[in-house]
Amino acid sequence: MNAHLQPTGSAYFLTQETQQTERHTLSVLVDNEPGILARVVGLFSARGYNIESLTVSETEHGRRLSRITVVVIATPKTLVQIKLQLERLVPVHRVHDLTAEGNYVERELALIKVKGTGDHRAETLRLAEAFRAHIIDATVESFVFEVTGKPDKIDSFIALMSPLGLVEVVRTGLAAIGRGAEGM
């Protein structure tokens, strides 16, 4: 005789939901006031959500509004929770899921320091030109490049610079905006 285990409400019988995680870019319009960034970041950290990228800047000076661009990797269920919780914060005016809305442009800027002499130096310059990287500082032993583009482009440039003498990388985080004539 086989005994069948029946769910009893016990934690031992909870089934794991296996939803795929997705990368989403959220654009959040907020009042530019002290503490708002801490409140938004606190909302994520208090619930164990990870932020992949975060950028903030005042975008409408006359109205004292800032745009926060947040990149998260989450399940669809978690993403709905994140958006609802962001919308409940008092100084938040709008939350747009640019990924779900579909038609948007994203860019990131990176400063990349590479050391090298001789053949490595020539190869570094050749690759930088192919990636349209701008030299913003140069010494006889190193370069600092500015690379702008999609995160994958920057990742590729960094990977190519690693064996040539990559020293350090600073990235701004993602900036994104919806396409078309409509504003946020």
Side-chain angles (χ1 to χ4, degrees):
M1 182 187 279
N2 288 337
H4 295 291
L5 295 176
Q6 296 295 319
T8 62
S10 167
Y12 292 109
F13 292 98
L14 293 178
T15 58
Q16 288 283 0
E17 281 191 42
T18 54
Q19 290 186 334
Q20 292 286 40
T21 58
E22 303 170 349
R23 178 183 178 270
H24 279 258
T25 302
L26 305 178
S27 187
V28 185
L29 190 64
V30 300
D31 287 337
N32 186 6
E33 61 182 41
I36 183 59
L37 179 59
R39 291 177 64 199
V40 169
V41 171
L43 182 145
F44 280 81
S45 66
R47 290 157 182 84
Y49 305 147
N50 188 40
I51 297 173
E52 295 292 316
S53 175
L54 175 71
T55 57
V56 184
S57 181
E58 187 173 67
T59 56
E60 297 183 37
H61 299 290
R63 295 178 52 202
R64 304 275 305 146
L65 296 175
S66 290
R67 185 181 299 230
I68 301 173
T69 305
V70 185
V71 178
V72 296
I73 297 177
T75 65
K77 182 179 176 181
T78 301
L79 191 64
V80 168
Q81 290 174 342
I82 289 170
K83 291 191 291 188
L84 288 173
Q85 290 164 358
L86 282 169
E87 288 169 348
R88 280 190 222 136
L89 289 177
V90 172
V92 172
H93 293 277
R94 283 184 223 107
V95 178
H96 284 273
D97 182 346
L98 295 173
T99 304
E101 293 170 14
N103 201 9
Y104 72 102
V105 177
E106 64 179 20
R107 292 293 181 265
E108 185 176 12
L109 180 135
L111 300 178
I112 301 165
K113 186 185 296 184
V114 182
K115 66 179 178 179
T117 56
D119 290 343
H120 281 137
R121 190 170 178 87
E123 180 67 4
T124 298
L125 288 171
R126 189 185 67 74
L127 288 169
E129 185 177 337
F131 277 80
R132 296 186 184 132
H134 299 282
I135 300 169
I136 59 170
D137 185 57
T139 69
V140 293
E141 299 173 341
S142 68
F143 294 105
V144 175
F145 296 104
E146 176 186 305
V147 182
T148 305
K150 291 189 173 193
D152 290 346
K153 173 187 175 183
I154 294 171
D155 291 341
S156 296
F157 185 73
I158 291 167
L160 289 171
M161 291 298 117
S162 288
L164 297 174
L166 180 69
V167 175
E168 66 181 318
V169 177
V170 178
R171 295 175 85 149
T172 61
L174 198 68
I177 192 167
R179 296 183 70 153
E182 297 293 317
M184 191 169 167

